[in-house]
Amino acid sequence: MLPFKHPFSNRNSKYFLKCNFLAVVNDGIAPPQRILFPPEKIRMDWQQPLSVGVGLQNMGNTCYLNATLQCLTYTPPLANYMLSLEHSKSCQEKGFCMMCTLEAHINQALHLSKKAHFRYGRQEDAHEFLSFTVEALQKACLNGSTTLDTSSQATTLINQIFGGYLRSQGTCQKSSCPLNWSGSTFLFIQTVTSVTEALEQLVKPEQLDGENSYKCSKCENMVPASKRYTIHRSSKVLIITLKRFSAFTGGKINKDVKYPEYLDLRAYMSQSMGEPLIYSLYAVLVHSGSTCNEGHYICFIKAGNGFWYRMNDAIVERSDTETVLNQQAYLLFYIRVSCCSEKDSHCRETIVCVLVCSLG
């Protein structure tokens, strides 16, 4: 893939690197040497007035896959690109390509009237499937370009939708550098009653002393310190995973955790002062059952027509906001509500944060 060149030739590429990735300038993250996908081509609003698509047939323990794919299918910036068929028209991969596979699925799910289905399988975890899928999509977008600098790899379409940066700050560290993060951030929280409370725990400073003292990079001594994580880049899409399952026993934490229809992320950013960063809920994935090895997954999605739908494998039913906000959610999908118009989309940041909030 060739480096992106802006159509106005009287402006040099360095200027547009700064324009398209404005947040890179003074936040400690090196600017990309190449842009693999033009940020201004990412469309946050549905580009086609589509109603809800088809359900997905459960072929035997595939409800986790069905529910996760439906949430991805109704992620507007991802769906807009896949519906354009742009990837398959230029893809030169001779073997399996995850981008081509998902593109075909999204087009079938939104355009066909018959139920789609997948092969028989065993029950798996929806969050793990989501992580593996996003990783495979990113690999397909890089198309072997793994020798690129990290910042350039972060300019693929998928990383601009499903990547991000956390910042780890310590009071006794020589420096506090942003950490590239392409998976999940686990927050071990004893008592959580809401998503906003979980996010407050994310940015709450952690005291390191005694056996947990920090080895200072300046004085090279074990010293008391304070460590704090913040979200270093704002995002187009925010995925919050409520960690309901024990990593050791597989047991599930069944409790109600409140989540809003609209979420302001500003207070949890490295730069906590500034304009609100508002996100709107567009999908909720729900697990019913007592352990991660059994049970059933469904999801609620907001279609391109603005209505909520309950997607239970092949069954698609109309729903409403009140019902959606009163689920024992496992995965929450939010999309950023931008103050910029689509014409000014190049001035918006394009990194997405994936958070995993532990409930106990």
Side-chain angles (χ1 to χ4, degrees):
M1 184 180 294
L2 295 175
F4 168 65
K5 295 183 179 180
H6 199 276
F8 297 104
S9 59
N10 62 332
R11 302 184 182 185
N12 59 57
S13 60
K14 290 184 178 180
Y15 170 83
F16 281 97
L17 282 176
K18 291 181 180 180
C19 182
N20 291 327
F21 290 87
L22 200 57
V24 175
V25 176
N26 294 314
D27 66 357
I29 302 172
Q33 297 176 6
R34 292 174 56 188
I35 294 179
L36 301 180
F37 188 87
E40 66 271 21
K41 290 183 65 176
I42 299 177
R43 295 290 180 259
M44 299 298 291
D45 300 323
W46 287 97
Q47 298 299 290
Q48 300 180 28
L50 297 174
S51 182
V52 68
V54 299
L56 303 178
Q57 187 71 41
N58 192 323
M59 301 302 292
N61 295 323
T62 60
C63 60
Y64 74 96
L65 185 150
N66 291 347
T68 305
L69 282 177
Q70 294 286 26
C71 292
L72 289 175
T73 298
Y74 291 91
T75 299
L78 180 64
N80 287 331
Y81 177 76
M82 295 304 189
L83 289 171
S84 73
L85 300 176
E86 182 176 331
H87 176 81
S88 58
K89 291 176 182 177
S90 59
C91 181
Q92 299 182 8
E93 175 60 52
K94 299 186 184 304
F96 173 80
C97 174
M98 190 64 189
M99 284 289 288
C100 289
T101 301
L102 187 60
E103 179 186 272
H105 166 75
I106 289 178
N107 276 272
Q108 290 178 3
L110 293 179
H111 287 147
L112 296 183
S113 59
K114 296 182 179 180
K115 302 169 185 176
H117 64 273
F118 298 88
R119 293 182 300 175
Y120 174 86
R122 65 176 185 176
Q123 179 78 302
E124 300 287 355
D125 179 68
H127 172 257
E128 290 184 355
F129 175 71
L130 174 64
S131 298
F132 289 140
T133 300
V134 171
E135 182 179 350
L137 291 170
Q138 169 70 356
K139 184 177 180 181
C141 285
L142 287 173
N143 194 25
S145 302
T146 55
T147 57
L148 288 173
D149 61 288
T150 302
S151 295
S152 294
Q153 292 186 39
T155 65
T156 64
L157 169 73
I158 294 303
N159 201 79
Q160 289 187 58
I161 298 177
F162 299 105
Y165 286 92
L166 288 178
R167 187 176 189 181
S168 175
Q169 292 178 293
T171 56
C172 197
Q173 293 184 24
K174 185 177 181 179
S175 62
S176 54
C177 298
L179 306 175
N180 191 7
W181 127 72
S182 57
S184 303
T185 301
F186 291 89
L187 310 176
F188 297 97
I189 303 169
Q190 295 300 320
T191 57
V192 171
T193 59
S194 68
V195 164
T196 53
E197 185 180 350
L199 290 172
E200 289 168 3
Q201 292 291 332
L202 168 68
V203 300
K204 182 179 179 179
E206 176 187 1
Q207 298 301 317
L208 305 176
D209 52 24
E211 294 182 356
N212 294 323
S213 293
Y214 177 77
K215 185 175 181 179
C216 180
S217 58
K218 280 187 176 181
C219 59
E220 298 186 353
N221 292 325
M222 300 299 294
V223 296
S226 176
K227 184 174 70 172
R228 183 189 183 212
Y229 283 103
T230 53
I231 301 171
H232 201 59
R233 289 267 182 95
S234 61
S235 54
K236 285 189 179 296
V237 175
L238 172 68
I239 303 175
I240 299 178
T241 305
L242 303 178
K243 190 175 180 296
R244 294 187 176 273
F245 301 113
S246 169
F248 300 102
T249 66
K252 182 182 176 184
I253 301 171
N254 283 301
K255 63 182 294 186
D256 292 331
V257 178
K258 295 298 181 182
Y259 49 93
E261 183 180 5
Y262 295 96
L263 177 66
D264 185 358
L265 202 62
R266 171 57 69 187
Y268 319 113
M269 301 291 296
S270 298
Q271 296 293 334
S272 59
M273 303 299 292
E275 295 181 354
L277 298 176
I278 306 299
Y279 291 78
S280 176
L281 187 70
Y282 72 89
V284 178
L285 188 145
V286 180
H287 174 270
S288 59
S290 57
T291 72
C292 63
N293 299 317
E294 63 179 12
H296 185 61
Y297 288 96
I298 66 169
C299 70
F300 295 81
I301 60 88
K302 181 179 282 189
N305 59 9
F307 292 111
W308 282 100
Y309 293 86
R310 183 178 185 266
M311 316 290 277
N312 182 6
D313 287 329
I315 303 173
V316 179
E317 300 172 320
R318 274 283 297 271
S319 187
D320 56 76
T321 303
E322 183 179 359
T323 301
V324 170
L325 294 178
N326 284 280
Q327 302 296 315
Q328 279 199 358
Y330 181 31
L331 294 170
L332 299 169
F333 294 74
Y334 287 88
I335 187 166
R336 183 174 176 180
V337 180
S338 177
C339 61
C340 297
S341 66
E342 287 293 341
K343 293 181 179 179
D344 296 326
S345 61
H346 64 272
C347 72
R348 293 177 295 188
E349 297 178 35
T350 57
I351 304 299
V352 175
C353 308
V354 182
L355 305 178
V356 179
C357 305
S358 173
L359 307 183

